Amino acid sequence: DMQDLVKTLLSEELYFRLLREKEVDFSYNFKNKARFRVNIFFQRGEISIALRLIPAKIKTIEELNLPSVLHNFTKVPQGFVLITGPSSQGKSTTLAALIDEINNARAEHIVTIEDPIEYLFEDNKSIIDQREIYQDTLTFSRALRSTFRQDPDVIMVGEMRDPETMATAITAAETGHLVFATLHTNSASQTIHRIVNSFDPVEQNQIRAQLSGSLLGVASQRLIPRIKGGLIPSCEVMLATPAVSNLIRENKIHELPLVVETSANEGMISLNRSLAKLVKEGEITLESALSYSLHPNELKMLI
């Protein structure tokens, strides 16, 4: 039965890739009624399938209960925005909300590079080209390099998996594009560390300099179980103020959490403050907040 189901879900090319690589990640559209992100893999010699339902409607930042400061990322003509967090914490949904906000607000050419394509955008004021790895292009880095010849205003990179993709994304942000990307990291400062440390030591100074000049901000999010059911995001937001840019350039990345903690008046939000706010509003339990906090003792003091 599983073999038959797999053959129904997969194209011939993807089926042979599954047999060759033992796992495959793709999106599946069922009669335009439901859309899934699918991973098919082998376990103990047998086939298993994980299907995740992708909502048909792209929600707004408000509908997703995300911080309103994220609106600022959609209003600028160029720069580098990173949406980070562990796996399955809503990064793609947040990115979709940001891209759709631009789509509904102004006339731009938007190119997305995804593996696989999750949310389907409908052109409104913008023209949106969605490219899927393996189906429309071979790799993230190759697709990202090609965007320079495609005249985009906004670029969305589903995932930065290697130094080449990271370097090209930063260069794109420097050369007049608004670039959105995701990374699997736990905090804003860890995100900067991850990017810089992906490069050889001789290149790190240059990357820090480029990042400090092009970064607009980092949003790191978690999905927390809600008291009344469902999930609600808790979000750390670091904005690239002159102080933040300076610390990145001077390799004082360990000082970034303190800047985020003490810059609430500039729109920054620490993860603990976000969690404390949700506890005080009765959205999540204290136990949940403490389990998701990177500094539980500080969170107790805040509450």
Side-chain angles (χ1 to χ4, degrees):
D1 288 344
M2 290 296 274
Q3 285 277 8
D4 289 342
L5 178 56
V6 164
K7 285 176 179 173
T8 304
L9 292 172
L10 291 177
S11 66
E12 193 176 340
E13 184 188 351
L14 278 176
Y15 181 70
F16 284 117
R17 205 172 103 222
L18 170 68
L19 297 180
R20 187 173 66 248
E21 297 180 10
K22 300 300 180 186
E23 57 230 325
V24 65
D25 204 29
F26 64 101
S27 55
Y28 181 74
N29 198 5
F30 178 70
K31 298 181 180 177
N32 290 325
K33 291 178 183 174
R35 189 170 169 79
F36 298 87
R37 178 170 182 168
V38 189
N39 187 279
I40 302 178
F41 57 100
F42 282 86
Q43 54 88 28
R44 290 162 64 180
E46 303 289 344
I47 286 175
S48 280
I49 307 177
L51 296 105
R52 286 193 284 172
L53 182 66
I54 300 168
K57 182 181 181 293
I58 297 172
K59 292 185 176 179
T60 64
I61 286 168
E62 281 74 25
E63 287 171 331
L64 293 169
N65 295 297
L66 290 164
S68 58
V69 69
L70 296 188
H71 287 296
N72 297 348
F73 294 148
T74 69
K75 294 171 182 170
V76 288
Q78 75 173 88
F80 194 33
V81 177
L82 288 154
I83 307 297
T84 71
S87 193
S88 301
Q89 297 298 310
K91 296 187 295 295
S92 299
T93 303
T94 299
L95 269 184
L98 294 167
I99 293 295
D100 207 44
E101 185 167 313
I102 295 170
N103 176 34
N104 295 328
R106 59 184 196 265
E108 305 281 19
H109 180 205
I110 302 169
V111 175
T112 76
I113 306 162
E114 303 170 71
D115 181 22
I117 289 171
E118 293 189 46
Y119 289 91
L120 294 176
F121 296 100
E122 288 186 19
D123 294 359
N124 185 5
K125 291 188 176 178
S126 294
I127 295 172
I128 306 179
D129 292 319
Q130 294 183 261
R131 307 192 71 201
E132 184 168 312
I133 305 299
Y134 296 114
Q135 178 177 291
D136 305 307
T137 182
L138 294 180
T139 63
F140 275 106
S141 54
R142 183 171 179 167
L144 195 49
R145 282 198 311 274
S146 296
T147 57
F148 292 121
R149 302 182 202 100
Q150 292 156 8
D151 194 31
D153 304 293
V154 180
I155 303 166
M156 186 188 101
V157 186
E159 204 177 316
M160 296 196 299
R161 293 178 181 167
D162 54 75
E164 187 183 359
T165 305
M166 292 178 190
T168 314
I170 296 167
T171 302
E174 279 188 313
T175 54
H177 305 89
L178 179 56
V179 181
F180 294 91
T182 70
L183 265 183
H184 292 108
T185 52
N186 286 320
S187 68
S189 58
Q190 193 187 90
T191 301
I192 305 302
H193 265 301
R194 170 73 61 83
I195 292 173
V196 172
N197 291 339
S198 296
F199 293 88
D200 290 332
V202 290
E203 298 175 287
Q204 288 179 3
N205 274 343
Q206 184 194 338
I207 291 298
R208 275 194 294 270
Q210 285 183 284
L211 253 185
S212 67
S214 61
L215 188 70
L216 291 173
V218 180
S220 178
Q221 65 184 57
R222 309 280 184 288
L223 291 177
I224 319 255
R226 217 171 185 171
I227 290 172
K228 61 184 180 186
L231 300 165
I232 190 166
S234 179
C235 215
E236 175 195 24
V237 180
M238 181 180 79
L239 303 174
T241 59
V244 165
S245 298
N246 212 33
L247 289 176
I248 294 171
R249 191 164 42 249
E250 293 178 5
N251 198 20
K252 295 179 180 175
I253 296 166
H254 60 281
E255 294 180 27
L256 288 175
L258 182 62
V259 174
V260 173
E261 188 67 54
T262 56
S263 301
N265 59 336
E266 298 193 43
M268 295 199 217
I269 305 165
S270 69
L271 183 61
N272 270 352
R273 284 192 188 280
S274 174
L275 290 167
K277 181 170 178 279
L278 291 173
V279 171
K280 288 171 185 173
E281 290 172 351
E283 292 283 4
I284 63 173
T285 64
L286 176 59
E287 290 71 31
S288 281
L290 291 171
S291 68
Y292 279 87
S293 173
L294 300 176
H295 305 286
N297 290 334
E298 287 175 23
L299 177 60
K300 282 180 188 170
M301 286 168 61
L302 261 179
I303 291 173

